[in-house]
């Protein structure tokens, strides 16, 4: 009887010892977890400091580059402004004003924009000129300023004067994309989805907006349907349900366009959807949709290309 009791006590004692060791281990694991968390916090703090330091260094580099550009520049100041758009000619008057650092009595200045060169008039130390720029032209380079003093001609690229594709500063940016599913059965193509339309004005207080919005379906380059969705766009927070069915067969190309006319008379055309499938066993082919708009004038003349 005594021997059984002793064996039972040893087992119990062993159990207690293991239990205590387990508690100690759990406490150490908890302490280790806390240390790891603290270490991670420290590392995160160091990473933030490194990121801040990188940002400061980049800012210093930018400031140094800016100062070096100013020191190397032939000009002490450059300023330009854009005037009122002429919707008949699509021209915008640009007024450029520059002040050279070292001015001579015989100094003459001119600016080259694309293939055009315009002379600047002098008034005391300032040279200026006002000239028209077509807002749909995409120039390959910045304007080039020519400075002639005696027999010496120097040039400087005006990198702070942006005259390329100025329509982005005057006309709203139109975006449209149709998220949909489609099926072709018994010669009928059914398209079911939601048209997402977005119009970004050039500024918050701009009154140049889309005044008429149409949904146009084209099959094999022939218009087969046109529907005015202006009110639907405005009343549905620019998300318009679309459920349509058209006669179609494999090999046809069916595209859905959004055509928006703005308050200045320009027409913006965006392909929001396209279906093209060679046969039943092939997948429908992907065609670029939802890109930048093609813009036309009020007479239907193409002004700038986009996604057709």
């Amino acid at each position: 009887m005594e021997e059984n009791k002793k064996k039972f006590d040893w087992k119990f004692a062993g159990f207690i010892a293991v239990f205590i060791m387990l508690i100690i281990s759990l406490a150490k694991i908890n302490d280790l977890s806390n240390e790891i968390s603290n270490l991670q916090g420290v590392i995160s703090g160091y990473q933030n400091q490194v990121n801040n330091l990188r940002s400061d260094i980049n800012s210093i580099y930018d400031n140094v580059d800016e100062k070096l550009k100013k020191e190397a520049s032939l000009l002490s100041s450059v300023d330009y402004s854009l005037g009122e758009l002429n919707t008949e000619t699509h021209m915008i008057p640009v007024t450029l004003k520059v002040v050279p650092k070292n001015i001579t009595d015989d100094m003459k200045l001119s600016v080259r924009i694309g293939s055009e060169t315009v002379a600047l008039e002098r008034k005391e130390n300032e040279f200026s000129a006002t000239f028209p720029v077509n807002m749909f032209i995409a120039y390959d380079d910045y304007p080039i300023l020519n400075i002639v003093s005696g027999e010496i001609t120097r040039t400087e690229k005006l990198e702070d004067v942006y005259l390329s594709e100025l329509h982005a500063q005057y006309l709203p940016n139109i975006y449209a994309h149709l998220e949909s599913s489609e099926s072709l059965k018994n010669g009928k193509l059914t398209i079911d989805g939601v048209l997402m339309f977005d119009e970004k004005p050039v500024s918050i207080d701009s009154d140049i907006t889309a005044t008429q919005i149409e949904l146009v379906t084209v099959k094999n380059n022939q218009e087969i349907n046109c529907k005015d969705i202006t009110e639907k766009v405005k009343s549905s927070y620019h998300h318009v349900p679309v459920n349509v069915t058209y006669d179609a067969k494999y090999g046809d190309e069916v595209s859905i366009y959004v055509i928006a006319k703005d308050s200045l008379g320009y027409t913006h055309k965006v392909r929001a959807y396209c279906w093209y499938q060679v046969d039943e066993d092939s997948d429908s082919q992907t065609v670029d949709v939802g890109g930048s708009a093609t813009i036309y004038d009020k007479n239907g003349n193409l002004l700038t290309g986009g996604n057709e």
Side-chain angles (χ1 to χ4, degrees):
M1 190 74 176
E2 289 294 331
E3 290 181 2
N4 291 336
K5 187 176 181 181
K6 286 183 180 180
K7 288 181 180 179
F8 175 79
D9 289 342
W10 277 108
K11 288 181 180 180
F12 183 75
F15 175 79
I16 294 298
V18 171
F19 182 75
I20 293 173
M21 291 177 63
L22 180 61
I23 292 175
I24 294 172
S25 298
L26 290 174
K28 289 183 177 181
I29 290 173
N30 185 63
D31 292 340
L32 186 59
S33 297
N34 291 334
E35 291 179 8
I36 292 173
S37 297
N38 293 334
L39 184 59
Q40 288 176 336
V42 172
I43 293 173
S44 177
Y46 283 141
Q47 288 176 336
N48 290 335
Q49 292 179 17
V50 170
N51 291 335
N52 291 335
L53 184 59
R54 286 176 178 171
S55 178
D56 292 341
I57 291 173
N58 290 334
S59 179
I60 291 172
Y61 275 127
D62 291 340
N63 290 335
V64 170
D65 288 342
E66 187 66 24
K67 288 182 179 179
L68 290 175
K69 285 182 180 179
K70 287 183 178 180
E71 290 179 3
S73 174
L74 302 172
L75 307 172
S76 60
S77 68
V78 179
D79 185 35
Y80 77 103
S81 59
L82 305 177
E84 185 176 350
L85 166 66
N86 185 324
T87 57
E88 297 297 326
T89 62
H90 323 303
M91 293 292 185
I92 297 171
V94 179
T95 299
L96 175 68
K97 298 178 181 180
V98 300
V99 177
K101 287 182 178 178
N102 301 310
I103 301 176
T104 60
D105 293 337
D106 61 346
M107 180 172 284
K108 295 181 179 180
L109 273 66
S110 63
V111 62
R112 187 171 75 250
I113 311 99
S115 60
E116 302 291 329
T117 299
V118 179
L120 276 68
E121 295 182 359
R122 179 174 179 177
K123 185 177 181 181
E124 298 181 353
N125 293 336
E126 183 181 81
F127 293 77
S128 65
T130 298
F131 48 90
V133 171
N134 189 311
M135 70 172 178
F136 292 104
I137 291 182
Y139 294 105
D140 295 330
D141 205 349
Y142 294 102
I144 303 295
L145 187 71
N146 299 306
I147 303 175
V148 180
S149 183
E151 297 182 355
I152 300 175
T153 300
R154 297 177 179 176
T155 62
E156 180 161 332
K157 187 179 293 187
L158 303 179
E159 296 183 356
D160 293 328
V161 179
Y162 307 100
L163 301 180
S164 186
E165 296 184 305
L166 290 175
H167 64 86
Q169 300 184 42
Y170 283 79
L171 304 181
N173 182 25
I174 304 297
Y175 170 85
H177 182 72
L178 179 61
E179 292 284 352
S180 67
S181 60
E182 57 279 313
S183 62
L184 180 64
K185 293 181 180 179
N186 301 323
K188 300 290 185 180
L189 175 65
T190 299
I191 304 168
D192 185 23
V194 175
L195 174 71
M196 292 176 288
F197 177 88
D198 191 18
E199 173 189 4
K200 294 182 180 179
V202 294
S203 62
I204 296 176
D205 57 349
S206 175
D207 57 357
I208 304 172
T209 59
T211 56
Q212 182 181 9
I213 306 167
E214 294 178 333
L215 198 65
V216 177
T217 305
V218 174
K219 184 176 75 173
N220 301 331
N221 298 321
Q222 295 292 324
E223 182 178 318
I224 60 174
N225 189 43
C226 179
K227 186 177 182 180
D228 191 308
I229 59 170
T230 307
E231 293 303 320
K232 284 188 176 182
V233 168
K234 293 181 179 180
S235 63
S236 63
Y237 300 98
H238 293 190
H239 286 68
V240 180
V242 174
N243 188 289
V244 291
T245 300
Y246 302 112
D247 293 333
K249 64 182 183 301
Y250 292 114
D252 287 340
E253 180 177 296
V254 178
S255 295
I256 297 178
Y257 293 87
V258 168
I259 298 179
K261 295 181 181 180
D262 65 35
S263 48
L264 292 179
Y266 292 99
T267 297
H268 307 248
K269 183 179 180 181
V270 183
R271 177 151 58 178
Y273 170 87
C274 183
W275 176 87
Y276 175 71
Q277 190 170 343
V278 177
D279 52 45
E280 185 177 2
D281 297 326
S282 63
D283 296 328
S284 57
Q285 297 186 16
T286 301
V287 179
D288 290 337
V289 295
S292 58
T294 302
I295 302 177
Y296 302 84
D297 66 14
K298 57 186 176 183
N299 297 318
N301 299 310
L302 176 64
L303 298 173
T304 181
N307 183 16
E308 280 287 348

